[in-house]
Amino acid sequence: MTYRFRDLLALEPLTADELRFLLDQSKPFQEIQRHPLKKLATLRGKTVALAFFENSTRTRISFGTAAARLGADTMNLQAEASSIKKGETLLDTAFNLNAMKPDCLVMRHSASGAADYVARHLDIPVVNAGDGTHEHPSQGLLDALTIRDRLGTIENLNVTILGDLLHSRVARSNIHLLGKFGCRFTLCGPSIWVPRELEKIAPAVPIRCLYKVEEALEDAHVIMMLRVQTERLNDPPLSANDYILLYQLNAERLKRAHRDAIVLHPGPINRGIEITPEVADGPQSCVLEQVTNGVAVRMAILYLVIAGASEGGAHPA
C-alpha cells in the first residue's frame, strides 16, 4: 500500500497504517547513513525552504542534512535575522519565500497551529517542524523508529513520559502515534506541568498522571525524558535542586523500570538536571540513535511530500 501526503502537519489525524508506512519508508534511508557516500539524486533540482521562527539545532540541521542527502538545495530563514523583526507578518514572510519557488517549506514556530495556517495559503507542501505546544511530527516518528529498532515493536508498550508535559509538543506527538499501536502512557512531573486534562488528549488511549517518579517508572518499557522548557516558563514551580531530588532519572530509579527498558530524550539534554550522565551515556540510552534516525525519518518525509512514493516502484534508497 502506498500513501500520498500533501503536507505533514500532525500525527493525530494519521491512521496506524499511514504511520507504519512512514516508518517503513524511513527504514531504507537508515542504511544510507552507514554508507561512506551518503548522497542520492532523488530530489536533484528541488529546493527545500527551512523557515525556523524558533531556535533549533538538531531539527534544523537534521532537515538540512536530509535535504542535502537527497540531492536537494536548501534556503534558510532564521527568525532573528529575518524581516519578522521589522514587523513583517508570518503570512507575508511565507508568501515571499514561496515566490522564490521552493518545492517544500519546513517550518518551526512558537504558535500552535502556525504550520497549518501557512499550509492553507500555499500551494507547496508544508512540513511542521514543531508548532508551539501542539505537535512535533518528525520527532514522534524518529522516536517510534528508534523504539521499534531497539525493542522490535511499538505495540502494547508501557511508556512513561517524565518532565514538563504541559509545554511538550514531543509528548503529544508520541502519544498520538504510539497510542494507535496499543501503548499505555504514564505522565509524571510536578503537578502544575502534568494537569489531569492530559489524560483525555487522545481518546481511547490509556493515559494516567502520576506525581511520584518511582511509581511512574514501574514496569516501563520506554522512558521519555523531557527538558525543563525554561523559555516557556515565567517561574519554574521547583528549584533546580528540588527537581533533581524529586524527578531526576538516575541509575537507581531506572532499576524500577522493565529490565530491557530504553531511555529517550529529544534534546537538548540538561545533564545533571533531568537526567544523570551515567544514564544519558549508558547502555539503555537511545539519545544519539534518535539523532541518527532523525535524518532518515526526515529524508523519508521530504521524499514523500515532494516526490511521492510510486505504486510498485523501487524505493530510492
Side-chain angles (χ1 to χ4, degrees):
M1 180 68 71
T2 296
Y3 294 94
R4 303 265 174 196
F5 298 89
R6 165 63 172 80
D7 307 290
L8 185 63
L9 303 173
L11 301 182
E12 183 178 8
L14 302 184
T15 66
D17 284 342
E18 288 173 319
L19 293 165
R20 191 179 289 110
F21 174 76
L22 284 165
L23 295 176
D24 290 344
Q25 288 289 305
S26 303
K27 196 71 181 170
F29 287 121
Q30 286 180 297
E31 286 300 316
I32 295 294
Q33 316 312 313
R34 304 184 183 102
H35 289 189
L37 183 63
K38 300 178 178 66
K39 192 87 164 180
L40 300 173
T42 310
L43 298 183
R44 186 166 55 192
K46 303 292 187 180
T47 302
V48 177
L50 305 174
F52 280 71
F53 300 94
E54 262 191 332
N55 290 335
S56 171
T57 301
R58 274 154 301 280
T59 304
R60 179 172 55 82
I61 293 174
S62 184
F63 267 112
T65 301
R69 289 183 180 170
L70 288 166
D73 298 314
T74 55
M75 298 160 38
N76 280 280
L77 177 146
Q78 289 181 268
E80 63 269 20
S82 76
S83 292
I84 289 282
K85 292 291 186 181
K86 302 175 184 177
E88 186 173 71
T89 68
L90 170 62
L91 203 52
D92 280 332
T93 299
F95 284 151
N96 277 275
L97 286 173
N98 193 41
M100 299 178 199
K101 305 303 179 185
D103 299 282
C104 174
L105 173 65
V106 178
M107 177 180 158
R108 168 172 287 192
H109 200 279
S110 60
S112 298
D116 179 71
Y117 173 66
V118 167
R120 284 187 272 115
H121 290 85
L122 299 187
D123 57 0
I124 60 171
V126 175
V127 176
N128 180 11
D131 62 329
T133 59
H134 173 228
E135 276 212 46
H136 193 344
S138 61
Q139 183 70 46
L141 288 163
L142 73 89
D143 288 346
L145 187 63
T146 303
I147 294 166
R148 194 171 74 170
D149 284 349
R150 274 288 196 110
L151 299 183
T153 185
I154 54 172
E155 296 187 5
N156 302 313
L157 299 173
N158 297 327
V159 181
T160 294
I161 309 180
L162 180 60
D164 183 0
L165 275 295
L166 182 65
H167 301 98
S168 178
R169 55 196 174 207
V170 172
R172 285 164 175 79
S173 282
N174 272 288
I175 289 169
H176 290 311
L177 191 163
L178 296 172
K180 293 183 174 78
F181 294 90
C183 291
R184 299 163 293 277
F185 293 88
T186 298
L187 314 182
C188 181
S191 58
I192 196 170
W193 289 347
V194 191
R196 289 286 179 185
E197 306 90 84
L198 290 176
E199 294 179 341
K200 299 179 176 63
I201 65 170
V205 177
I207 304 173
R208 61 175 182 165
C209 296
L210 297 177
Y211 305 103
K212 291 186 177 180
V213 67
E214 291 81 6
E215 186 180 354
L217 291 171
E218 291 288 345
D219 204 34
H221 300 105
V222 178
I223 304 163
M224 293 185 176
M225 303 303 301
L226 299 175
R227 178 177 63 88
V228 176
Q229 300 189 44
T230 53
E231 72 275 13
R232 300 187 196 275
L233 303 173
N234 293 322
D235 294 301
L238 295 175
S239 68
N241 286 337
D242 285 341
Y243 191 86
I244 290 167
L245 178 66
L246 295 173
Y247 295 107
Q248 184 186 72
L249 183 63
N250 55 37
E252 192 59 34
R253 283 173 171 163
L254 183 55
K255 292 176 183 176
R256 292 179 172 269
H258 192 275
R259 65 178 183 180
D260 298 320
I262 57 173
V263 178
L264 281 70
H265 196 307
I269 292 175
N270 292 312
R271 287 173 179 267
I273 303 295
E274 72 263 13
I275 190 169
T276 61
E278 63 181 334
V279 174
D281 301 327
Q284 291 169 274
S285 172
C286 299
V287 172
L288 296 181
E289 290 163 58
Q290 289 174 269
V291 177
T292 301
N293 288 337
V295 177
V297 162
R298 287 157 183 146
M299 288 176 76
I301 291 169
L302 294 177
Y303 160 61
L304 290 169
V305 300
I306 297 174
S310 58
E311 294 283 351
H315 191 284

